[in-house]
Amino acid sequence: MTHTATLSSDDLNNANSDARRTAATAAQTSSVATSRLDSGANPVRHRSWYWVAALAIIVLGQFAVSRLAWVEQYPSNWVLPLKDWIDSFFEWLVYGVRFFGGTSFEFTPREVTRGVSGLLAYPLSFSESLFFDGFSKQVPALPWVTVVGLAALLGHWLGGWRSALLGAIGFAYLALFGVWKASMQTFSLVLVTVPMVFLIGLIAGVLMSKSRRFKNAVTPLFDILQSMPPFAYLVPIVVLYGVGNVPAMIATALFAVPPVARCIALGLESVRHGVLEAGRMMGCTRWQLLWQVQLPAARSVLLVGLNQGIMQTLAMIVLAALIGASGLGSELLTSLQSLRLGEALEQGIAIVVIAVVLDRFSRAYALKQPVYVDPDLSWWRRHPYVVLALSFFVVSILLARVLPELALLTGKNSITTAPYWNAGIDWINLHLYESVQAFRNFTLMEILIPTRNFFQAIPWVTFVALVALLGYRLGGWSVALIAGLLILFPAATGLWTEAMTTLYMIGTAAVVCVSVGFVIGLAASRTAGWSRFAAGVCDFLQTFPSFIYLIPVVMLFKVSDLSAIIAVLLFAVVPMIRYTILGLRGVPTPIMEAATQQGATRLQRLMKVELPIALPEIMLGVNQVIFMALFMVAITALIGTQDLGAEINAARSGNEIGKALVAGLCIAFMGIAADRVIGAWVKRKKVVLGLV
């Protein structure tokens, strides 16, 4: 939001002089930091040394290829049998381990995990009975009109009439478009999974904020879980927990807990030291300090963690359908496999609707301020929303008994736009087929296939050495060692060719994502209105199921690498737009005014002031693009790619735990290596700019 004010000439002169001092201070700090970085932090003063070293690595690598076979291809006798080790471990875990509960009672780990599944099934069964199945023929599930009305009342209590309208329209869409039952099954799963995810994340976040040792121990695990495609750990979950909604809840928890725990830990660690000291001076014990001081002080950040849990849970809805989870994910997957794009689009929008409503409601709750209520008032006046909700609950259920259409809309009363979407795809295929295929063939033959061949021809020694050199250049020996070892892992496990194919696809998609996202973000950042509009579009795209992007590109461009890259582009371009807008809109106003007063044109101000200052945030967008592109690797394998995602997909079909986890770790380690290198660069750039 922008504010305008009237300034006197003296105020304007003072503001200009302050802006010049701010710019001069920033420039001086940047100059000092640069000289300090070049002379002290970096052991190599001349950047040209790195280019010489990189050229030497490339030349020596190509020279050695013709003379040393192990340079060109990783020797098979060097490959670690990690897949076999993992398979043997799980076989021992499932069939070889016995727990003894008494003199004549023993049980296996699988029985333990199935017992956990049975416990989690109870709250899920209640939630499904309430919204989907009903408790009996005499006690059916809640009518759609009841849910719509209660959502409107909850929205009004949280955020006023706008939130009420959003809740009512959102849930009414689910009823009117004939996806009510599947939506309520998904909603039931979310209502049980999100509290479980938040509780586990809260415990982990508290422990991370209290114990440095625990934080150091779980951070690598969280890194792997966040960067590994969920397909990879679906296989061991199926082996241990079976299939169905409960295993889907567990898989979702593995995917959603890390960001929630990180967010909560960050919130607790950011509580001001003075607040903690005040609590200690009041005589608070450690537990009282946590529950009565730290958690209330970090309330807004905790609710952001809850919001993250909701979004991550809904992101797993379709993937969880692959291990038997019912609901919208299952319906969407069936529609996609049948190439019914119109129905799939409506089901995908239904997931987006649930995500948007829950996102806005959780944000409204995070911003809601406490309201004083006179305790002398009667109970119904102190709790008007509860009274209204109970009244509407009773009246709507009675009306639904009289008018069955208020309980569940049948096919003749529902709305569908599927024929129009299908007709649009048919029209495109009929009238634009030749142009689309010409573009596809040119891109494949002239760009993508040569690029893939180039990546696959790079000797593994050369590539690992170049990554390590880049890590050393940006972050020193520690980053060089970590990045080099992580990139070496695919070669050491026999998946180097698949890893290079994945890198080619991710690299190509990332270049396009970064270019397109930067241009869109740059254009949208010029005004506050366009920034808000772009943020809304990004919200929609980010909550859209990743599977839905595959079908239109396959129908237009057939099964090929081009289809996979375009699907990745549509899914992963969002963070680049977001972070570009965030970086450019976050440039301090005094620095902008100082540049203008110095006579800089808009283009000069953009190139010399805005972009250098916003570059760290923009590079974080690049980092997120890489992670989201890696997330799509296993999904694009469903349309015939030959990379690490294909390995995971094949392992999922055959329940090969070792194969799935090793391929998933290869993807995770590539993402972590990129994260460490880019993170080191961002930190270095902030030091140069004097921002830290």
Side-chain angles (χ1 to χ4, degrees):
M1 182 180 296
T2 58
H3 299 276
T4 58
T6 303
L7 297 176
S8 65
S9 58
D10 293 337
D11 292 336
L12 185 60
N13 292 332
N14 292 334
N16 291 338
S17 61
D18 290 341
R20 292 190 187 96
R21 284 195 298 270
T22 302
T25 303
Q28 184 178 4
T29 305
S30 174
S31 176
V32 171
T34 303
S35 61
R36 186 180 303 165
L37 194 64
D38 289 338
S39 60
N42 187 359
V44 181
R45 295 187 178 184
H46 302 291
R47 295 181 180 181
S48 59
W49 185 92
Y50 294 101
W51 293 106
V52 173
L55 182 61
I57 290 172
I58 295 172
V59 172
L60 290 175
Q62 292 301 114
F63 178 77
V65 163
S66 59
R67 290 164 175 77
L68 300 172
W70 61 268
V71 174
E72 181 179 9
Q73 187 173 3
Y74 196 85
S76 58
N77 57 341
W78 292 7
V79 174
L80 296 174
L82 190 57
K83 301 175 188 177
D84 299 333
W85 294 345
I86 294 175
D87 287 333
S88 299
F89 170 76
F90 272 91
E91 184 177 357
W92 169 79
L93 183 64
V94 173
Y95 300 107
V97 178
R98 294 291 184 272
F99 298 108
F100 296 94
T103 56
S104 60
F105 177 69
E106 66 177 29
F107 52 94
T108 65
R110 176 178 283 190
E111 291 172 336
V112 174
T113 56
R114 298 303 167 93
V116 173
S117 297
L119 290 175
L120 293 175
Y122 287 110
L124 181 61
S125 176
F126 175 80
S127 180
E128 288 183 339
S129 298
L130 185 63
F131 290 97
F132 172 68
D133 275 336
F135 297 93
S136 64
K137 290 184 178 180
Q138 289 73 31
V139 185
L142 290 178
W144 71 267
V145 67
T146 304
V147 178
V148 169
L150 293 179
L153 285 172
L154 178 61
H156 194 276
W157 177 71
L158 290 172
W161 68 269
R162 293 179 185 272
S163 296
L165 190 62
L166 175 65
I169 292 176
F171 280 94
Y173 169 89
L174 304 178
L176 294 175
F177 278 81
V179 293
W180 181 257
K181 281 201 166 184
S183 299
M184 288 301 99
Q185 201 165 13
T186 295
F187 188 62
S188 302
L189 185 64
V190 171
L191 284 183
V192 178
T193 305
V194 168
M196 180 181 71
V197 166
F198 184 74
L199 179 61
I200 298 173
L202 178 63
I203 295 172
V206 170
L207 292 176
M208 289 172 68
S209 67
K210 297 297 181 182
S211 172
R212 176 64 59 180
R213 186 174 300 175
F214 179 81
K215 183 176 182 179
N216 293 336
V218 299
T219 296
L221 177 62
F222 284 174
D223 287 341
I224 292 173
L225 288 176
Q226 283 191 269
S227 53
M228 180 186 291
F231 271 22
Y233 48 78
L234 291 182
V235 179
I237 285 175
V238 169
V239 172
L240 294 174
Y241 295 93
V243 296
N245 284 343
V246 174
M249 291 171 55
I250 297 170
T252 301
L254 286 175
F255 180 70
V257 163
V260 175
R262 289 181 192 271
C263 188
I264 291 173
L266 178 64
L268 294 176
E269 290 172 357
S270 63
V271 175
R272 288 182 296 178
H273 185 70
V275 175
L276 299 179
E277 286 299 322
R280 294 189 184 98
M281 291 176 63
M282 296 296 293
C284 291
T285 64
R286 292 183 63 185
W287 281 106
Q288 289 174 331
L289 192 67
L290 173 64
W291 293 105
Q292 298 181 18
V293 178
Q294 278 187 280
L295 290 177
R299 175 178 177 269
S300 60
V301 182
L302 297 183
L303 292 173
V304 171
L306 175 62
N307 178 268
Q308 287 294 306
I310 294 171
M311 294 297 103
Q312 297 290 341
T313 298
L314 286 165
M316 278 290 290
I317 289 300
V318 181
L319 295 180
L322 296 172
I323 57 173
S326 50
L328 282 173
S330 177
E331 297 284 336
L332 175 58
L333 193 60
T334 302
S335 299
L336 293 179
Q337 291 171 341
S338 305
L339 293 181
R340 292 184 282 117
L341 180 61
E343 289 85 349
L345 187 63
E346 289 182 350
Q347 292 152 0
I349 292 176
I351 297 176
V352 175
V353 166
I354 295 175
V356 169
V357 171
L358 294 179
D359 172 66
R360 293 298 184 267
F361 278 16
S362 61
R363 290 188 184 184
Y365 184 65
L367 298 174
K368 185 176 178 61
Q369 299 297 321
V371 178
Y372 173 76
V373 178
D374 189 352
D376 295 331
L377 296 175
S378 59
W379 184 90
W380 65 272
R381 294 185 65 183
R382 284 185 283 120
H383 305 282
Y385 283 99
V386 177
V387 175
L388 284 174
L390 291 174
S391 302
F392 182 80
F393 178 82
V394 174
V395 172
S396 61
I397 288 180
L398 293 176
L399 287 175
R401 290 293 184 95
V402 178
L403 300 173
E405 291 79 8
L406 296 180
L408 180 66
L409 291 177
T410 58
K412 64 179 181 180
N413 295 320
S414 60
I415 304 171
T416 180
T417 58
Y420 303 104
W421 296 107
N422 294 330
I425 293 294
D426 292 339
W427 184 90
I428 292 174
N429 283 327
L430 180 64
H431 293 86
L432 302 179
Y433 178 81
E434 293 184 359
S435 301
V436 169
Q437 294 309 305
F439 171 76
R440 169 185 177 271
N441 295 335
F442 172 81
T443 306
L444 281 173
M445 300 303 296
E446 302 298 330
I447 300 175
L448 296 183
I449 292 178
T451 304
R452 183 188 64 192
N453 295 338
F454 170 77
F455 273 90
Q456 291 179 346
I458 301 175
W460 66 273
V461 174
T462 301
F463 191 80
V464 171
L466 288 175
V467 170
L469 178 66
L470 180 62
Y472 176 73
R473 170 70 178 88
L474 297 177
W477 285 111
S478 60
V479 176
L481 182 62
I482 293 173
L485 290 176
L486 292 176
I487 293 299
L488 179 62
F489 182 81
T493 52
L495 294 174
W496 183 255
T497 302
E498 292 81 1
M500 286 297 99
T501 304
T502 301
L503 186 63
Y504 131 75
M505 293 188 62
I506 298 306
T508 305
V511 169
V512 180
C513 282
V514 169
S515 303
V516 173
F518 175 76
V519 172
I520 296 175
L522 175 62
S525 68
R526 298 300 89 187
T527 63
W530 279 110
S531 297
R532 288 192 296 269
F533 175 77
V537 174
C538 288
D539 287 341
F540 179 82
L541 293 176
Q542 199 163 14
T543 53
F544 217 73
S546 52
F547 270 89
I548 204 72
Y549 296 110
L550 296 181
I551 293 304
V553 296
V554 170
M555 296 185 73
L556 290 174
F557 301 103
K558 310 305 178 186
V559 175
S560 64
D561 288 355
L562 178 61
S563 300
I565 290 171
I566 293 177
V568 172
L569 166 65
L570 295 174
F571 180 75
V573 73
V574 170
M576 191 64 205
I577 300 174
R578 283 189 185 279
Y579 279 93
T580 300
I581 295 174
L582 177 66
L584 292 173
R585 298 288 296 178
V587 177
T589 302
I591 295 180
M592 298 275 288
E593 293 175 350
T596 303
Q597 292 296 322
Q598 292 293 325
T601 64
R602 294 182 62 183
L603 180 61
Q604 290 173 331
R605 190 177 65 186
L606 173 66
M607 299 300 296
K608 302 294 185 179
V609 178
E610 294 180 69
L611 286 180
I613 294 177
L615 205 53
E617 282 76 16
I618 294 174
M619 289 303 297
L620 289 177
V622 175
N623 188 17
Q624 291 299 304
V625 164
I626 294 172
F627 271 103
M628 293 187 71
L630 287 170
F631 174 84
M632 280 289 288
V633 165
I635 297 174
T636 56
L638 297 175
I639 59 175
T641 57
Q642 300 298 319
D643 54 5
L644 291 171
E647 289 285 311
I648 297 175
N649 195 38
R652 182 182 59 83
S653 302
N655 278 347
E656 301 176 73
I657 300 178
K659 186 176 183 178
L661 289 180
V662 170
L665 286 173
C666 289
I667 295 175
F669 288 167
M670 292 169 64
I672 295 172
D675 175 69
R676 295 297 184 268
V677 171
I678 294 176
W681 185 91
V682 169
K683 184 177 180 180
R684 177 187 177 87
K685 194 66 178 177
K686 285 184 176 180
V687 171
V688 170
L689 293 172
L691 301 177
V692 293

